[in-house]
Amino acid sequence: MTDDAAAARAAAEEKSAFSHAPVDPDATAAYGDHPDQVIDFYAPRAQGGPGGPAPVVAVLHGGAWRGPYDRRHISPFAGFLARRGFAVANVEYRRGGDDTSVAGRWPDTFDDVAAALDALPALVGEFLPQADPRRTVLTGHSAGGHLALWGAARHVLPAGSPWRGGGSATLRGVVALAPIADFAVADKLDVCDGAVRQLLGGDEHFAERQALTDPALLLPTGIATTLVQGRADRDVPQMVAESYADAAAKAGEMVGVTLLEDVGHFPLIDPAADACAVVAEEIAQLAW
């Protein structure tokens, strides 16, 4: 495929993913005082497994950790999972400013993800009584895939880290979708126009903060992990996911990698795309 054709396909995939109307949640709860410290909850709309309370899927949206991209753009995906029988928690968190010039806020982005995941079991008990918080799967797309992997690895952080935690028996696994999973490789490839380096505060802080935030350096986790990646992804290339899987293998841990032919970045969260059904099946494998 020519570069022009590949670019046209990627643009069509993005247009399709963003063509769906946002799906309103059944409830929204705060896990902090900032307006972005909220979680949207979607009750299961169907019986998706062997019966009993529904497993919980915690969704972390992407958008290069930049301000204009919030949880609303992934709400159709959350609604899709709810129709598959999952109870869904769509997590918001603080990002960069109102424009796209800065990715993330240090340390607020990480503070929020840690706080949201810590608060999740109690909030699920309150707002999703038909769900079983003891069976939770983390998923996230792109930058959100990074945050899902990082959130699942918090028990690997140094004892003095304020983010250390997790490692809970309630976490069944992680399904990371086109994740920015290896900061060294993503930085080298200039993924999302330097977003990784911006997230960590620029050149001055990159090496120091990478040790606490790069999933590829927080291994092994002991948590079942699957990466779903489109081979035709031009936003977060396949090499990033494969580098994380290689790092896991060197740490003595096997990470599943599902590679989808002729699939780019956005079909993974597009309810109209076959790739989205594959994602739901990967989540079900860990959840039920």
Side-chain angles (χ1 to χ4, degrees):
M1 180 179 291
T2 66
D3 284 346
D4 287 347
R9 180 173 66 182
E13 289 176 340
E14 181 174 0
K15 182 178 179 180
S16 177
F18 283 86
S19 68
H20 308 284
V23 177
D24 291 332
D26 296 298
T28 299
Y31 62 87
D33 296 330
H34 191 278
D36 284 336
Q37 293 176 317
V38 295
I39 302 174
D40 287 341
F41 291 103
Y42 296 79
R45 297 293 194 268
Q47 182 65 52
V56 177
V57 182
V59 177
L60 290 152
H61 70 80
W65 312 283
R66 292 184 170 124
Y69 308 102
D70 65 14
R71 69 193 186 283
R72 295 291 284 169
H73 84 266
I74 208 169
S75 65
F77 174 70
F80 172 82
L81 293 177
R83 294 193 299 275
R84 288 291 188 113
F86 299 105
V88 183
N90 190 10
V91 178
E92 191 58 275
Y93 53 89
R94 283 174 285 182
R95 307 169 306 287
D98 292 336
D99 60 24
T100 60
S101 61
V102 179
R105 299 187 198 181
W106 183 273
D108 301 347
T109 298
F110 296 93
D111 288 346
D112 287 359
V113 172
L117 295 180
D118 287 345
L120 188 61
L123 292 175
V124 167
E126 182 177 356
F127 292 96
L128 290 175
Q130 60 278 81
D132 182 359
R134 297 170 299 177
R135 290 185 289 145
T136 296
V137 174
L138 287 181
T139 192
H141 178 240
S142 195
H146 156 260
L147 293 173
L149 292 170
W150 178 82
R154 289 168 53 217
H155 61 290
V156 181
L157 290 169
S161 170
W163 301 319
R164 183 178 169 90
S168 170
T170 64
L171 182 59
R172 288 294 184 91
V174 183
V175 179
L177 315 176
I180 304 178
D182 185 312
F183 277 5
V185 174
D187 184 57
K188 186 175 181 180
L189 296 175
D190 196 31
V191 166
C192 298
D193 299 318
V196 168
R197 198 159 286 261
Q198 291 172 21
L199 174 69
L200 301 190
D203 297 346
E204 179 182 357
H205 301 290
F206 184 79
E208 166 201 355
R209 293 174 176 175
Q210 181 188 6
L212 299 175
T213 57
D214 185 348
L217 300 181
L218 300 173
L219 291 163
T221 66
I223 295 170
T225 301
T226 298
L227 312 184
V228 184
Q229 176 74 43
R231 287 188 180 274
D233 194 327
R234 295 164 63 91
D235 295 273
V236 183
Q238 177 180 332
M239 184 186 306
V240 180
E242 290 180 333
S243 181
Y244 175 85
D246 288 346
K250 290 176 183 176
E253 191 161 77
M254 294 304 297
V255 167
V257 181
T258 299
L259 297 174
L260 303 181
E261 296 289 342
D262 300 321
V263 170
H265 192 61
F266 289 99
L268 304 179
I269 60 165
D270 181 357
D274 291 342
C276 198
V278 174
V279 168
E281 289 301 319
E282 294 288 356
I283 293 172
Q285 290 292 322
L286 296 180
W288 292 105

